[in-house]
Structures are given as C-alpha cells and as structure tokens.
Amino acid sequence: MARNVSNSITRRGMVAGMAVAATPGVLTGTNKAYAQADKAKPENQAKSEKSLYDRLGGVFAIAAVIDHFSDAVVKNPIVGQKSKNPQLREWHTKNLQRLPGLKFMRTLWVCNAAGGPLQFTATRPGATPLGLEEAHRNLKISPAEFDEVAAELGRTLDFAKVPKREKAEVLAAFAAHKDEVTAGYVTGGKRG
C-alpha cells in the first residue's frame, strides 16, 4: 500500500513557545562529539558566517537544551505545576504524557527558526505563519506568564553556557511571538 510522506512535521499543544540550544563544545558526552564533528567539516569552515542553527550546535545540542528547558518549565512555580493559571497547572500535571512530543516540536521549531534544515508546521494553523496563537489560546497565557517562560529560557541558555550573541538572538526570536502566544488571555486580569 503506497503512502504519502510529508517533509513537514506538525505539532500539538505546544506550551509556552519554543526553546533553545547550546553551542558546539558546551555539552558533554555524545552531544559534544556531534557538535565538534560538525564544526570540523571543511564546508563549515569555509563559510564566513554560520547560521544561528550552526552556531547553536545543530539538532543534537538544540534537543539537549530543549529537554532541560521543558523540564524546568514544568517545575517553574509561576507557569508550571503550581501555576495560578488553572490551564497551565492542568497541562503540567495531567498532560505530561505529551511532554516528549512537545519537546520534539519545540526542537523542530528552534531548528527551523534558527535556519536549520528541519521544517516546523503548525497542527492547528492560525492567522500567523506558525499558528502559535491557536496552539496556546486555550492556555490563556498572560503577558507576565509569557515573560516568566522567557526568563526560564534565559536561565536555561545560561545553564548551557550559550554565548551572549546567540542567547540574545534566541530570546529575540522567542519574544517576537509574544502577541500570538498571549492571544487567548483576556485583559483586565480575568481569564476567559
């Protein structure tokens, strides 16, 4: 039986956006080996300016940092399991079986946004190209909650020893989607 295979990959229920990556050489074990092997390729040395994806260390480094970031968000007292936001609290307590898939989708998102070879496609397309507003609408994420996730992202980048330039680029890419991610929040301090 023939089956069509798509080059794009979809995501479900992405919580609080994307995450980040580490640079070559900052991770230990196999991730460091992959990053160093990639760095040693002659075609990479010939480029005058590497993409953010390459400077972050590629998919293996990105996935390692996404893993750390995602676990930190779950434990974060403002946006995780003890959040005052009932939708975020419920997701981080009753939907953790979906966390591996979310980590995968976040990794794809970062790879795609950083100029890497992987393609991210929304499972719930919205008005924006990434559809982040639809994926987050039912979570009713406030601007302050979004900012806390961004702060957690910053802490994860620091943990991974991501250089200042790359950290700033990742945080700017994250911040660019604040309006989409907070679209479901009802202003006036009340959640819809």
Side-chain angles (χ1 to χ4, degrees):
M1 172 179 244
R3 189 173 156 175
N4 289 337
V5 178
S6 173
N7 286 334
S8 65
I9 300 175
T10 60
R11 66 145 169 72
R12 266 191 214 281
M14 195 159 147
V15 178
M18 66 147 215
V20 296
T23 59
V26 298
L27 299 175
T28 59
T30 19
N31 292 328
K32 183 176 180 181
Y34 283 118
Q36 288 175 340
D38 186 56
K39 186 178 178 182
K41 290 181 182 177
E43 66 267 18
N44 289 341
Q45 293 171 346
K47 292 180 183 177
S48 61
E49 179 63 36
K50 290 183 177 182
S51 68
L52 178 59
Y53 173 83
D54 288 330
R55 289 181 284 129
L56 291 171
V59 67
F60 295 100
I62 290 170
V65 177
I66 294 290
D67 185 60
H68 182 274
F69 165 74
S70 298
D71 291 343
V73 169
V74 169
K75 301 294 183 200
N76 184 291
I78 297 170
V79 295
Q81 293 175 323
K82 296 184 180 185
S83 176
K84 291 181 183 177
N85 175 334
Q87 289 81 8
L88 286 176
R89 185 175 59 247
E90 180 178 344
W91 199 100
H92 288 108
T93 55
K94 296 182 180 176
N95 291 308
L96 287 180
Q97 76 278 4
R98 295 184 68 197
L99 190 58
L102 178 58
K103 289 177 180 183
F104 175 74
M105 296 311 298
R106 286 176 172 166
T107 299
L108 286 177
W109 193 94
V110 173
C111 289
N112 190 181
L118 302 172
Q119 180 66 42
F120 172 85
T121 304
T123 56
R124 288 192 234 162
T128 62
L130 295 178
L132 297 181
E133 73 279 11
E134 295 309 319
H136 296 87
R137 188 173 304 283
N138 66 341
L139 296 173
K140 299 175 176 52
I141 298 168
S142 73
E145 290 163 341
F146 180 93
D147 292 344
E148 179 58 26
V149 173
E152 195 66 66
L153 177 56
R155 290 187 288 273
T156 297
L157 291 167
D158 289 341
F159 173 82
K161 297 182 174 106
V162 172
K164 200 179 279 190
R165 175 183 173 198
E166 286 74 16
K167 177 182 175 183
E169 288 180 48
V170 169
L171 291 174
F174 186 81
H177 298 283
K178 185 173 183 173
D179 288 345
E180 295 165 59
V181 173
T182 60
Y185 182 73
V186 177
T187 58
K190 296 181 181 179
R191 298 181 193 276

